[in-house]
Amino acid sequence: MKGNYLNKWLTRVLHGMDFTDRKTSISQKIPENWKQVALSGVERIRNLFKSHGIKRIFSADETNVKFHEITDKLLAPKGTK
């Protein structure tokens, strides 16, 4: 029961701040800062591996190794792409 109230409260607060939740999608336009986005992603993955003591990764054809976020939704200001 508490979770439901919290959910409604959070939804009202986010909408009051002009935020919306929406499905993530691949952008139709490559961002101007694509190189910085890529480098920060690499750094995030490197730190994650280091924090878990991972020293080697093996991958072969048809091996699915995902480094992208798992969630299919994000919070964004209304009207942004």
Side-chain angles (χ1 to χ4, degrees):
M1 194 82 159
K2 265 188 182 176
N4 194 24
Y5 290 118
L6 181 60
N7 220 0
K8 288 179 182 179
W9 175 83
L10 184 57
T11 299
R12 284 194 313 268
V13 168
L14 290 172
H15 284 283
M17 294 171 54
D18 270 345
F19 271 75
T20 183
D21 62 332
R22 63 180 181 217
K23 286 233 177 233
T24 57
S25 63
I26 297 173
S27 176
Q28 298 299 314
K29 180 181 171 192
I30 296 173
E32 290 183 28
N33 65 338
W34 67 268
K35 190 171 183 177
Q36 182 57 42
V37 171
L39 290 173
S40 64
V42 167
E43 187 66 25
R44 180 180 58 85
I45 293 165
R46 186 179 294 145
N47 289 336
L48 181 65
F49 286 178
K50 193 181 286 187
S51 71
H52 289 292
I54 299 170
K55 296 181 181 175
R56 293 184 184 90
I57 298 175
F58 298 94
S59 183
D61 273 355
E62 311 276 334
T63 301
N64 187 11
V65 179
K66 288 187 178 182
F67 296 112
H68 301 290
E69 304 301 327
I70 295 172
T71 184
D72 65 345
K73 288 202 169 197
L74 59 91
L75 291 175
K78 288 181 183 175
T80 59
K81 300 272 180 187

